[in-house]
Amino acid sequence: MTDASTEQKGELGSFSQWLGVKIVEATGDRVVLAWDVRPELWQPYEIVHGGVHCAVVESAASLAAALWLGDRAKVVGVSNHTDFLRAVRDGRLVATATPIHRGRLQQLWLVDIVDDQGRAVARGQVRLQNLRNEHLAR
């Protein structure tokens, strides 16, 4: 899943940039991301591809988890479960990540995605593993 090395610095990485995702708010307690729907993000039925929602859910959770963990370690995603609740073909979407559990070895984050009318579009949970820096050198 996601290696949060760029997220450690408060960045999202080139894939999220290609999606058009912008950081609205970013702390170790909450991350808010926003992006505009465009045809390049559609699946064949001209609605946002589910993979876009999964990617944004993972990006929001990874950024938040990395900010909370700071220099103590890095985080990598180990599970992403995202439910798609409403089809979207245009407008602005906002994803908000909040912690469910932040432990010594793992973190669990909830991410809600809403449309520009505040309606639920998708909801995801991401479990991340906290890896001390010496584990990454192997």
Side-chain angles (χ1 to χ4, degrees):
M1 301 246 132
T2 299
D3 173 351
S5 58
T6 56
E7 281 88 349
Q8 286 291 122
K9 304 170 196 162
E11 301 169 6
L12 290 172
S14 59
F15 182 62
S16 292
Q17 290 173 357
W18 181 85
L19 293 174
V21 176
K22 305 285 188 224
I23 299 171
V24 175
E25 175 186 337
T27 71
D29 294 318
R30 175 179 146 110
V31 162
V32 179
L33 305 178
W35 73 103
D36 294 316
V37 175
R38 59 186 202 275
E40 295 87 358
L41 305 180
W42 289 348
Q43 47 98 304
Y45 298 114
E46 298 183 353
I47 59 175
V48 175
H49 192 288
V52 172
H53 296 307
C54 290
V56 174
V57 163
E58 181 128 359
S59 293
S62 294
L63 175 58
L67 290 171
W68 178 76
L69 203 52
D71 292 334
R72 293 176 285 169
K74 305 229 183 303
V75 295
V76 292
V78 295
S79 175
N80 179 335
H81 180 94
T82 301
D83 292 304
F84 315 120
L85 306 171
R86 178 182 301 277
V88 176
R89 38 181 101 237
D90 57 24
R92 186 162 187 81
L93 298 177
V94 175
T96 303
T98 54
I100 296 171
H101 169 76
R102 294 181 288 193
R104 185 175 56 85
L105 299 176
Q106 291 192 341
Q107 299 183 52
L108 184 63
W109 287 79
L110 176 67
V111 182
D112 288 304
I113 298 175
V114 299
D115 65 12
D116 45 17
Q117 296 175 40
R119 298 177 298 186
V121 171
R123 179 177 235 199
Q125 251 186 217
V126 177
R127 180 171 299 282
L128 300 117
Q129 186 74 34
N130 301 334
L131 298 176
R132 290 187 305 242
N133 294 328
E134 62 268 14
H135 289 131
L136 296 173
R138 293 182 184 173

